[in-house]
Amino acid sequence: MFIAMNRFRVNPERVEEFEQIWLERETHLQGLPGFVEFHMLRGPEKEDHVLYASHTIWRSRDDFEAWTHSEAFRKAHANAGQSKREGLYLGPPNFEGFEVIQTVGNASE
């Protein structure tokens, strides 16, 4: 399993706008080979930003990398650089990829 994360530092005055963009966007992930699930996470609020992370789980790193070269990826990121979003982010997203080495589940769930 592979987890792909992007961390976003968002202007605190534009948190609602950021969340609305993510809640309304088409992810183009459903049905892709190896895609398991997606989460958008809201983290701690600092003085100058609110931290968010997108967290996508893939069956393998190869499945994730295939997605990054796909038409679905291009569609999902088509509006990423829109000028109306200037000032929304404090810098570019920070990508982190992780190979899962252990998973512990709850047998009662």
Side-chain angles (χ1 to χ4, degrees), residues 18-19 25-26 50 58-59 67 71 76 109:
F18 174 82
E19 291 184 7
R25 71 189 274 274
E26 174 56 52
V50 178
W58 297 87
R59 184 181 54 210
W67 173 67
E71 182 63 26
E109 292 292 315

Side-chain angles (χ1 to χ4, degrees), residues 22-23 39 54 65:
W22 281 87
L23 292 171
H39 301 270
S54 63
E65 289 178 358

